[in-house]
Structure formats: C-alpha cells, structure tokens
Amino acid sequence: MRTPLASSPTDNPDGPPLILDQVSVSFNTSKGPARAVNDVSLTLAQGEILGLVGESGSGKSTLAFTVMGLLPDGARVDSGQIRVMGKDLYHLDPEVLRDFRWKGISMVFQSAMNALNPVLTVQDHIFDTLRSHDPNITDEKARQRMLELLDLVKIDARRARSFPHELSGGMKQRVVLAIAMVFNPPVLLMDEPTTALDVVVQRSILNQVREIQAERKMAILFISHDFSLVRSLAHRVAIMYAGRIVEITASLGKSDAHHPYTEGLMRAIPELSEDEVTISGIPGNPPDLLHLPTGCPFHPRCPVAFDRCRTEVPPMLQVQGNLVACHQYSRSGEESDHGLE
Amino acid sequence: MRFFLNRLGFLLISIWAALTVNFLIPRMMPGNPVDAILAHFQSEGAPLGPNALHALEQQFGVAHSSIWSQYLGYLQNLLHGQLGTSITYYPLTVTQVIERSLPWTLGLAGTATIISVLLGTFLGVYAAWHRGTRIDAGLTTVTMFTSAIPYFWIALILVYLFGFELHWFPQFHAFSTLPPGVAWWKFALDILYHAVLPGATIVISAIGGWLVGMRNNMIQTLGEDYVTFARARGVRNRRLMIAYAARNAILPNLTGFAMAIGFVVGGALLTEIVFSYPGIGMQLLTAVENEDYPLMQGIFLIIALAVLLANFFVEMVYGFLDPRARQGE
Ligand SMILES: Nc1ncnc2c1ncn2[C@@H]1O[C@H](COP(=O)(O)OP(=O)(O)OP(=O)(O)O)[C@@H](O)[C@H]1O
Ligand SMILES: [Mg+2]
C-alpha cells in the first residue's frame, strides 16, 4: 500500500482506514470566512504512520478535528468527503457516531496538559471511556483493562488513583495515550503529542508510540511541526502550507524532487557539518487566511515562482515517486530545470 | 483528614479572633456606652438600680478591674452562653432575644438563599448548555432585569401587588394569632404562607447573580480541552455536563456561596423590615434605634460566627469537590 492517493472514496471497509477527498474547512470570523483547510486529499494506509508537518497555523489541528467530526462552533466543512474505516462520519446517526468515535478512530490532543479533567482520577477517565461505550462492563473487567493500558504505556498501576495535577507532563501524555488506546482503534490521530515535553521524555514517548504501533498495527496520522522528528518516525510525510497539502513524500533525501517549501523546511533544520552549525529558513511569513494569494499559496515566498504560480493553483503531480503540488514540475521541456539543482 | 484538622484549627483561631475583637471594640469606642445607656433609661423615667449599673459596667469595661481580668470574665461568660442583658427587652438576656429571632431568620433567609443558589446554579448550567438558544437568551435577560432592581423595591412591589391589592398573601409578620389548640400543621402552613412574599423577595433578587455567574463559568469550562476530549471519547451528554463541565464551573462560585450563607444571618435586614419579620435583622434595627449596645454586640457576634462557620463548611465542600485543594498545605 504505497499509493498515496485514492482516486475516489469508497464505502469499502477493507480499503484504506482513512481517506480524505478534497476537504475544505473554514472558520467564520468577524472579518469573513477563513479557509483553514483547503482542498486536502490524503489516504492513510493500514498500519502506516503518516506524518503531517506544517508551520503553526497551517491548519493541522483543524484537519484532525475535522476528521474526528469535532469542529468547534463557527467552523464548517465547506466541501469534500471523509471516510474513516469506510464510514462517512458526517452522515452517521449521532448515537452511532458517539459510539464509533474512539472505537473506530481516536485522537491524542495537542494539549495533553489540559485534556484531563482536573477533578477526576486516571482511573475515572479510563472507566468513563469504557462505560460510555459499554454501560454494563463490570468493575472487575474495567479494572483489568485499565491495568493492561497502564502497562502498555509503562505507568505504575498505583497511579490509577492519581489526579492530573499529581502527574508530570510526560505521565499525563502517557495517560492520554493510554486512553486513546482503550479500544485499540484502527486509526489514531496524534496532534503534536510531544511538543510540550523535554527532549528525553519526548524520545521515550516516541519510542513507545513506535512499539505500540509495531504491535497493534494501527494507522497513525502524526501531526508535528518538528520536521526531523517526523522524518524519523513516519513512513510518509505530508507537508501542509496555509491549509493546503503541498507535498506527500516517502523520501526526504536532499537529492529528491521536492516542493520549494519542503526544501525550505529541510534547510531550516540545523545541520552539523564539520565545525559549523548552519540554520537557514524561509524568508517571509505564511499568508493571512482571510487574504490568501491567488494561485499557489506559497508563491510570494517562493524562490522559483513564475507567472503561472501567481494565477493557477498547482495540481498534485507524481514526481519521482513523490506527490508534489508545484508548477515547476509540469513545465514543458524548454522552460525546465529552473531551481531544480 | 489532615485537611479537615487544618481547616478546623483555622476555624477555631478565627472564632477566637472574632470574640476578642468583639470584646475590644466597645472598649475602644470614644465616650462611655454605659453613660449612653444610663441617659437612655433616665429619659424614659426608669432609672437603673445599682445592680444593673454594675452589670453594665462589667460588660463594657468601665469596671475598675484590669482589662485582662475583664477579658477572662468575658470569655467565661461566653462559655456559659451569657451575652449580657438587653436594654430594649429588659429583663430578657441578649441570648434569649437572639434565641427567639434567629430561627426566623435562618428559616426564611436561609431557605431562600439555598433555593436561589441551587435554582440559579441549575438554571445557569442549563442556559450554558443551551447557549445561543432562545431559552438561554430568555433566562439571561429576565434575570439581568430582576437582579438590576433594588432589593427593597422588589419587596415593596410584592407587598403591594400580592398583599395589598390581591390579598393572596399576608403583608406582614411571620405568623398570625391562631386560636389555642390549633393543629400543629395548620400553624406550620400559616408560617409557610407568611414566608412566601419575603422569601420570594430574596430569591428573585439573588437568583440572577447565581445564574449568570454559573452560566459564564460553565461556558468557559465547556470550551476546555478536557470537555472536548471527553466528547471525543464518547462520554454521554449528561455526564459531560455534570462531571466534566459543571463540576469544574462550580468551583469558583463556592467562595461566593460561603459569603452568601454567612450573610444570611445579617443580610436579610431590609426584607425583615419591609415585612416586619421578627428575625435577627429586625432585632438589629431595634437595637440600633434604642442604643441597645449589649444586643448589638451579641448580634454582631452571631453574624461573625455565622460567616466563619459558613466558610468552614464551604471549604469542606471545596475539599470534597476539588482534589487540588485537599492536597494543599
Ligand atoms: N476557533 C477558531 N476560530 C477562528 N479561527 C481559528 C479557530 N481555530 C483555529 N483557527 C485558525 O485556523 C488556522 C489553523 O489553525 P490550527 O490550529 O489548525 O493550526 P495548527 O497547524 O494546528 O497550528 P499549531 O502548530 O500552532 O497547533 C489558524 O490560522 C487559526 O488562526
Ligand atoms: Mg495545532
């Protein structure tokens, strides 16, 4: 399963666990609608970890909440289709949806620090989750499941009676991960699960995610703005810019063909070469969602932009096995190899 | 348990401080309260006997013993429930006067306050859950209006409409003179009947604050990540509303509850006056009008104790509801 894009979504439950087809989402703001997710198409294959990388505000969390069907008031899906395990969450009966969420798809929130109710213990959280889907579960069974889960994320069983304020940041993150794994869902969305943690804790949690994924084989959409972290974890990486996916790539080698934005991101990673550290970024700022540039959203910052970039949104092109939305790869022979060194 | 002992210790120290302040204030007042009292009695043509004079001097520290032995005597009297003799109701003691009026105040203002807190909180939760709907807008507008009307105005309007014009409810007093030997439940109904208008005054004027406060806290907690996370996990609406949103939204309100319950004893003054209700508030007014210092002092002491006890009680509830408070110190 390395085809990055399904041509059209299906109701086939044996197909890819997560399919997004041309999904657009906007927020109602006082100054008009702001497109936070723009024409996004993605497919998550069974057992795959797909990284989703982008600057702050590029729409990663909005995309995750859209998939969960948990957009806040004032946000709406303008167009497109989403299939989770073959189901269209936006056309499910509310009670069926309530039950399907967490069993079919679960999510680790960006702010694990605030994802736990301050007045409930770890055990309360896990029991609540179990009982919401199986009201008749016995205490004994629920307890057993809880112990398995705590063991899975390597938290001492005595912590079951702890309140969130008694846990460290890393422990809270593990608890949230344990809660996400309550029903072993086939699809897991992880929204910057380690951003607020120090490097050591971050590494140990990522190793845990890797281990759990290797064992349970769920498909993971792993959101981060840390390019190097995602590169080491994911099978493929999708790059998001101003609400659009501009590249989906399995190879992040320097020599491959990439979107100019991806190249900029790769350059922004500090590089230890011989004695000097070089950090170079992308000049300029991401666009205002209320006044998106015409054509390619990246063109005002793009070093290789040309006329067409300013007028026409580039389609996804298959370039050396990657999917790249950039006009420079569709130019005819005579204008080619400009900025492709 | 440690939390409980800790708070209990704090309560005892605060009570001691309140008692001491109550002892010191009349001794630091300019002028001599005993002279004022004597003048009062003389003008009424009923001069006090030497015994009564001595008792008064004892109580207000005009006595010639050292302040320390006065203090010890004062504490000892308090232990035996002796707060001195009321001047207005002579020869009744202050304790007796308070014993007669406190139940009326607790029964009326206490019940009315609890009703407005519970009802306001419940409606606030409901309005927040249905925020943006017509029910929410209706509740918020109506209670904004009622809490903007001055308190005694509501009392006067209620008396005029339902007492004077419509004769649905009695205008004054806590009970009527019933023939002797009447069944106890008839008497109870009579008391309830008399309590409707003053009780409604308190509820109407207080409920808006609780409703709006709870609604705003609740809207805030509904936006918290732990609520969204719970919704994502499939937690059912009822549990989401109560255990996740309301349980956290109520915490900032608890301090307000403590104040409100504490002020029940002293706070129903205006209602009691409008309705000639024989509670502590009425007695305080009488005491002030008659320069009845012993009674005033006794009532202030009771009010202070009520505030402290209410605070203690609410802190216990807080510790029960919020694990972070339990752990502190
Ligand atoms: N409730 C909201 N109302 C209006 N606009 C919003 C709302 N939530 C997000 N946005 C806007 O949508 C865009 C995308 O936000 P989103 O949180 O999805 O970004 P992100 O990629 O997750 O960023 P980060 O890395 O900081 O988490 C931003 O421009 C943001 O301002
Ligand atoms: Mg985000």
Side-chain angles (χ1 to χ4, degrees), chain A residues 109 111-117 125 176, chain B residues 225-227 229-230 233 244:
Chain A
F109 277 37
S111 44
M113 300 307 128
N114 307 319
L116 299 175
N117 184 346
H125 281 93
V176 170
Chain B
D225 284 325
Y226 52 77
V227 172
F229 190 53
R233 279 144 56 205
Y244 285 77

Side-chain angles (χ1 to χ4, degrees), chain A residues 20-43:
Chain A
L20 278 84
D21 187 37
Q22 303 188 314
V23 176
S24 295
V25 179
S26 46
F27 285 101
N28 277 327
T29 69
S30 49
K31 291 183 223 118
R35 259 287 150 87
V37 173
N38 210 339
D39 200 19
V40 166
S41 298
L42 270 183
T43 304

Side-chain angles (χ1 to χ4, degrees), chain A residues 160-200:
Chain A
R161 301 226 172 261
S162 296
F163 287 96
H165 72 272
E166 297 164 336
L167 304 174
S168 70
M171 278 196 263
K172 273 186 232 181
Q173 190 64 64
R174 281 167 213 268
V175 168
V176 170
L177 182 58
I179 293 172
M181 294 303 299
V182 164
F183 299 110
N184 277 326
V187 185
L188 176 59
L189 311 181
M190 304 187 82
D191 192 358
E192 310 209 16
T194 58
T195 303
L197 305 172
D198 68 65
V199 188
V200 180

Side-chain angles (χ1 to χ4, degrees), chain B residues 13-38:
Chain B
I13 292 174
S14 326
I15 288 180
W16 170 77
L19 295 180
T20 306
V21 168
N22 198 49
F23 167 80
L24 288 176
I25 282 179
R27 282 161 182 80
M28 293 192 302
M29 280 195 307
N32 180 346
V34 178
D35 289 344
I37 294 167
L38 284 178

Side-chain angles (χ1 to χ4, degrees), chain A residues 27-310:
Chain A
F27 285 101
N28 277 327
T29 69
S30 49
K31 291 183 223 118
R35 259 287 150 87
V37 173
N38 210 339
D39 200 19
V40 166
S41 298
L42 270 183
T43 304
L44 193 53
Q46 220 152 2
E48 180 186 34
I49 302 182
L50 174 64
L52 180 61
V53 181
E55 283 167 279
S56 186
S58 56
K60 309 180 296 292
S61 298
T62 308
L63 184 66
F65 281 113
T66 308
V67 171
M68 292 295 288
L70 285 172
L71 282 173
D73 292 345
R76 63 159 207 281
V77 180
D78 298 320
S79 58
Q81 296 227 38
I82 302 167
R83 288 280 189 283
V84 183
M85 302 305 291
K87 284 188 167 65
D88 180 352
L89 300 198
Y90 285 83
H91 291 97
L92 283 185
D93 170 73
E95 184 54 26
V96 176
L97 173 62
R98 187 189 67 75
D99 193 48
F100 180 72
R101 253 190 232 137
W102 232 250
K103 280 185 169 168
I105 182 169
S106 71
M107 175 171 172
V108 172
F109 277 37
Q110 176 164 4
S111 44
M113 300 307 128
N114 307 319
L116 299 175
N117 184 346
V119 301
L120 297 182
T121 62
V122 171
Q123 169 166 330
D124 293 335
H125 281 93
I126 295 178
F127 277 29
D128 262 1
T129 314
L130 283 166
R131 293 230 160 85
S132 303
H133 297 270
D134 181 4
N136 301 321
I137 191 169
T138 61
D139 274 6
E140 194 39 52
K141 269 210 168 139
R143 225 189 120 63
Q144 223 170 346
R145 183 71 192 125
M146 179 185 74
L147 293 178
E148 282 166 28
L149 288 165
L150 292 182
D151 187 53
L152 181 73
V153 296
K154 302 202 167 60
I155 285 187
D156 195 315
R158 279 173 300 183
R159 285 289 174 188
R161 301 226 172 261
S162 296
F163 287 96
H165 72 272
E166 297 164 336
L167 304 174
S168 70
M171 278 196 263
K172 273 186 232 181
Q173 190 64 64
R174 281 167 213 268
V175 168
V176 170
L177 182 58
I179 293 172
M181 294 303 299
V182 164
F183 299 110
N184 277 326
V187 185
L188 176 59
L189 311 181
M190 304 187 82
D191 192 358
E192 310 209 16
T194 58
T195 303
L197 305 172
D198 68 65
V199 188
V200 180
V201 181
Q202 191 172 334
R203 190 167 304 151
S204 98
I205 288 187
L206 284 181
N207 284 334
Q208 222 145 21
V209 171
R210 242 182 233 117
E211 259 172 54
I212 296 173
Q213 203 271 341
E215 190 193 321
R216 307 279 161 105
K217 298 279 181 252
M218 70 278 199
I220 298 180
L221 180 68
F222 190 97
I223 296 173
S224 178
H225 57 241
D226 186 338
F227 200 74
S228 54
L229 186 146
V230 168
R231 181 143 70 163
S232 73
L233 185 74
H235 301 125
R236 286 187 306 156
V237 179
I239 317 289
M240 200 163 183
Y241 184 78
R244 285 181 186 274
I245 303 287
V246 295
E247 175 169 349
I248 302 175
T249 176
S251 58
L252 282 165
K254 290 240 146 140
S255 53
D256 304 308
H258 291 298
H259 193 281
Y261 178 62
T262 315
E263 283 169 1
L265 282 180
M266 290 196 292
R267 273 199 308 275
I269 301 168
E271 228 166 75
L272 287 159
S273 57
E274 285 157 32
D275 291 331
E276 53 183 321
V277 184
T278 44
I279 304 174
S280 49
I282 308 158
N285 290 307
D288 178 357
L289 295 181
L290 289 162
H291 306 103
L292 283 172
T294 54
C296 171
F298 188 60
H299 85 252
R301 296 168 79 187
C302 182
V304 297
F306 55 103
D307 288 348
R308 203 168 147 198
C309 304
R310 287 176 263 275

